[in-house]
Amino acid sequence: MNASSPTAPSTVARLAAQAARLEAATSAAVGHLISALPSLGRHDAEAALVTAVPIPTRGAARYLEELAGHLAAHPDALTSGSSLCPPVLLRLAEVLYDAGHPVVRPGCAHCGKIRSDLRQLRPEGRLCGTFDARSRQATCARCRRENVRIAARRPEGRICHTCYHSDPEIFEECAECGQSRAPAVRREDGRALCGRCWKRPMHTCVSCGKTAAAALVDDDGALCHPCYNRHRRPRRLCGRCGQLKRIACNARDGQPDLCDGCYRGPEVTCSICSRVRPCTSRDAQASRSAATATGALVQESHALGAVGPSRSTPGGPSARSA
């Protein structure tokens, strides 16, 4: 006859302990949630938690305990917009916002893009995938430049974007010119187009009515770059002048957010006067030489450096959605 070990808890006792832990975590989270949002009823709070943390999810009690602990330590977590928070709060803020409650959804600490899947946590807050990739810097194993963004791994080590785009391993035959080059975008049939053959799609701007390259394409339509800068570019406190303005350069590498008045572009040789000055715009011919000189990928139609969440690169979200 098999006798169960006296030290091993029975299945019934284990399940009962799990249920008690889940109930206690839910109760604590609901209490802190109602305290943070007095207009939120208990029933609505419980429903929001169930949506943000489905009960069948493995480890639901742990997520709720993490949420309750964060709300206890930061009572304004749902209204401050800070992304220094656990992932469950991102999902909860999204649920409450969609239900019409007065919450501020946290965004990427660098570009401000609001997402519920900001997975990477940094000292300044959570980052979206784009800026997480930009924050990963090291010494390139090929060109040996230091503190450059890493694009890929190769047998000799990690390589930068400049070396990646000149790497024969990624070259394909362009469907237009037939040359073997790095693909910029792909056509609907899957064949690649190189950067010389790809033309940025033109859209009619829903704001000004002009036909131009789009800075943003969403459900409302397309916005050209001037209209995006005027109406949709994020406004935050400038880290230099301290005023609430449109941000021209997002915070990174120890530099704060900078507004249009405080930001100065990288110094490059002007393609017109040949003087070395802060760059404010680039024509199609000069952009590639400037990119080589600065060791960065320069988008040909952008007037400033990395500006915001809707900046599109060849093959990026805006290009593909066109």
Side-chain angles (χ1 to χ4, degrees), residues 33-175:
L33 191 53
I34 294 175
S35 178
L37 297 174
S39 62
L40 189 66
R42 187 174 187 84
H43 177 74
D44 291 337
E46 292 177 349
L49 288 176
V50 169
T51 304
V53 187
I55 299 305
T57 301
R58 185 176 181 181
R62 176 171 60 84
Y63 296 134
L64 291 170
E65 289 169 348
E66 188 178 27
L67 174 64
H70 185 78
L71 289 174
H74 305 87
D76 63 342
L78 289 170
T79 55
S80 67
S82 172
S83 60
L84 285 168
C85 62
V88 62
L89 189 131
L90 300 176
R91 298 191 296 271
L92 178 62
E94 189 77 24
V95 172
L96 293 173
Y97 179 85
D98 291 341
H101 295 288
V103 300
V104 178
R105 296 171 296 170
C108 171
H110 279 193
C111 68
K113 188 174 185 179
I114 296 175
R115 297 179 62 98
S116 59
D117 60 346
L118 302 175
R119 296 188 178 93
Q120 299 300 324
L121 182 62
R122 296 288 187 270
E124 64 272 23
R126 292 190 174 275
L127 304 183
C128 65
T130 300
F131 276 88
D132 173 55
R134 292 182 182 181
S135 68
R136 299 179 184 275
Q137 298 182 339
T139 300
C140 177
R142 289 188 180 173
C143 66
R144 309 308 302 175
R145 289 188 298 131
E146 299 179 350
N147 298 322
V148 293
R149 290 195 291 123
I150 298 303
R153 292 179 180 272
R154 290 295 182 262
E156 65 271 29
R158 295 178 290 182
I159 61 173
C160 66
H161 283 266
T162 302
C163 293
Y164 174 78
H165 284 278
S166 61
D167 186 357
E169 290 188 25
I170 69 168
F171 284 9
E172 295 184 32
E173 181 181 331
C174 175

Side-chain angles (χ1 to χ4, degrees), residues 207-270:
S207 178
C208 67
K210 295 180 180 179
T211 299
L216 173 68
V217 179
D218 59 14
D219 294 338
D220 297 329
L223 283 176
C224 65
H225 286 272
C227 290
Y228 170 79
N229 290 338
R230 186 177 303 115
H231 303 299
R232 297 288 291 276
R233 198 199 300 171
R235 287 169 169 79
R236 297 193 295 274
L237 288 176
C238 174
R240 181 167 296 170
C241 67
Q243 300 184 45
L244 185 65
K245 291 185 175 182
R246 292 183 307 209
I247 298 302
C249 184
N250 296 296
R252 61 175 300 180
D253 300 334
Q255 174 182 281
D257 287 333
L258 296 176
C259 67
D260 287 315
C262 295
Y263 173 71
R264 295 292 180 270
E267 291 192 350
V268 294
T269 301
C270 177

